[in-house]
Amino acid sequence: MTDAIELLALESLLSAEERAFADSVRRLVDDQVRPHVAEWYESGRAPVRELARELGKLGLLGAHLTGYGCAGVSAVAYGLSCLELEAGDSGVRSLVSVQGSLAMFAIWKFGSEEQKQHWLPRMAAGEAIGCFGLTEPDHGSDPAGMTTRAVRDGDDWLLTGTKMWITNAPVAELAVIWARVEQGITGFVVPLAEPGVTVNEIGNKMSLRASATGELVFDNVRLPASAQLPGARGLKAPLSCLTEARYGIVWGALGAARDCLETAISYTRNREQFGRPLAGFQLTQAKLADMALELQKGYLLALHLGRLADAGQLQPEQVSVGKLNNVREALAIARTCRTLLGANGISGEYPIMRHANNLESVLTYEGTSEVHQLVIGQKLTGLSAFA
């Protein structure tokens, strides 16, 4: 199969270590995801706990974090792993993103040493799965309006509220929950086996069907003072976690796009119409060329952001540029590839419609396209258009 990334020999921009890490992830996806993912998607069930342990063995959970059993790889290497994972399925990359860049990162960045020692090694190994509760039924793009609250009761906290569309929730052991307190917004590490916690799995999804998604309901859940993330103060704390996860999406969307494009190239080379391969027609080649061009540009953008991150210079609005562009273009590539396969494009025998459906969710989660446009617009003008 043609490697669409190699049109401009972009892998020559990577170090030997980065290429080796990406190759190891690709082998894992080829061995443990591709043979089964169509069935997972069809059934709406994936072996998330088993997958997490295999991902942990390769150091992919919290890969870019240091200490506590985490691999401590570069931002570029972590991004490449997201690309390879999402080439398998967005749901698999979402499992890794939520575990490492949201739940683990929140504890690593804002948690106490006790919290880090207790949770991070087990999470890095895939032995404990975490989730991240910011979105609520009535507050998605406007997290500042959250209604989940925690109030003091002696030395403890009482947590009440609902979080919605929470990846990993149905299989998670713990949740990082953001709540309003008297002083503002803060985070808590909440074991989901606590009395008063209800986890409802969200079914009937048309997208991300190989990912576990749920609703978390907290009814006066009693938490000790030690459950609070001591370093998390204000909305900037959860938003910084989202920036971490959005960076992975910048790379991950390219994986879905690459898989669609490579599938379309292979299909059109072998599918004959009017006496010759579809790939031999000018209109087909024009579509393939345009899609390959956008894939190369998206890869260069992701790599640039990764180098900035490794230099400690990456800014949130730059991540917004990456997510806005790469997810939008990946979805366009998936849709165009579907047309090249005709009716076969909607068949589960091929991955394209599954990727396209998944990317519809990726387009709007962790910041809709409109939110990222406004982040960029505020940076360009110095004026906020959010309110």
Side-chain angles (χ1 to χ4, degrees), residues 322-337:
K323 183 179 187 293
L324 176 63
N325 181 81
N326 284 11
V327 179
R328 189 162 61 186
E329 295 305 326
L331 183 55
I333 287 171
R335 290 169 174 167
T336 302
C337 287

Side-chain angles (χ1 to χ4, degrees), residues 74-261:
S74 69
V76 169
Y78 170 64
L80 290 165
S81 73
C82 290
L83 186 154
E84 296 298 340
L85 290 167
E86 195 147 355
D89 191 82
S90 300
V92 179
R93 197 267 310 144
S94 292
L95 164 62
V96 171
S97 288
V98 170
Q99 178 85 342
S101 292
L102 291 179
M104 290 178 68
F105 178 78
I107 296 170
W108 183 85
K109 178 78 172 177
F110 303 112
S112 66
E113 187 60 28
E114 180 184 0
Q115 290 168 336
K116 296 174 187 179
Q117 293 284 357
H118 180 75
W119 290 112
L120 293 181
R122 294 176 57 214
M123 296 176 77
E127 296 170 0
I129 296 176
C131 60
F132 184 89
L134 181 62
T135 298
E136 298 184 352
D138 297 321
H139 298 94
S141 294
D142 181 23
M146 73 173 65
T147 58
T148 298
R149 296 185 179 274
V151 297
R152 283 286 193 183
D153 185 41
D155 292 333
D156 295 341
W157 293 93
L158 292 178
L159 178 69
T160 301
T162 302
K163 300 295 183 180
M164 193 70 173
W165 299 111
I166 307 303
T167 298
N168 295 349
V171 294
E173 182 177 336
L174 71 144
V176 173
I177 299 298
W178 301 93
R180 188 173 299 281
V181 297
E182 187 176 351
Q183 296 79 15
I185 290 172
T186 191
F188 297 89
V189 180
V190 183
L192 295 182
E194 290 292 319
V197 178
T198 302
V199 182
N200 301 310
E201 184 164 8
I202 297 173
N204 199 29
K205 297 183 299 180
M206 300 293 108
S207 177
L208 290 177
R209 291 177 55 79
S211 176
T213 312
E215 174 192 46
L216 298 174
V217 181
F218 305 98
D219 183 8
N220 282 318
V221 177
R222 183 171 295 276
L223 300 171
S226 60
Q228 185 178 11
L229 293 171
R233 293 290 184 272
L235 194 58
K236 285 186 177 181
L239 293 183
S240 71
C241 300
L242 288 178
T243 297
E244 290 287 312
R246 289 165 175 168
Y247 167 76
I249 293 172
V250 174
W251 284 94
L254 298 174
R258 187 192 72 188
D259 198 51
C260 289
L261 181 54

Side-chain angles (χ1 to χ4, degrees), residues 291-302:
M291 290 187 290
L293 179 63
E294 293 306 323
L295 187 59
Q296 312 305 299
K297 289 156 62 177
Y299 189 97
L300 287 169
L301 172 55

